[in-house]
Amino acid sequence: MPSAEIERLIKSAIPDAQVELTALVNDDDHWAATVVSESFRGLTRVKQHQMVNAAFGDRLGGELHALQLTTRAP
């Protein structure tokens, strides 16, 4: 999955998200993402990651094989 599509999906689910992507392998299939959003404030890291993962639906683990997440509030 191209980086632009990953960013689009995350921002569609979390509109105020600031997204930074890094390719872990040059195959559009393994990415690291740092996502910063005010909506994460007060949430556990697990809840933050669940919010991001929900943006991908069933595409995570299939079309996008791996997404390493770092999340935080600003």
Side-chain angles (χ1 to χ4, degrees):
M1 179 179 295
S3 62
E5 178 68 0
I6 294 168
E7 186 170 352
R8 184 190 71 73
L9 288 169
I10 293 171
K11 288 186 173 191
S12 70
I14 307 167
D16 74 325
Q18 298 170 17
V19 180
E20 181 180 320
L21 293 163
T22 304
L24 297 175
V25 180
N26 195 17
D27 64 359
D28 277 348
D29 203 25
H30 297 79
W31 292 94
T34 299
V35 183
V36 180
S37 172
E38 184 61 40
S39 64
F40 294 153
R41 191 169 304 281
L43 298 179
T44 65
R45 187 155 309 186
V46 170
K47 293 283 187 192
Q48 294 172 14
H49 287 205
Q50 287 172 337
M51 287 176 66
V52 175
N53 289 339
F56 296 95
D58 62 357
R59 297 169 86 179
L60 190 58
E63 185 177 345
L64 176 60
H65 179 71
L67 183 64
Q68 175 185 314
L69 285 174
T70 301
T71 57
R72 67 176 184 273

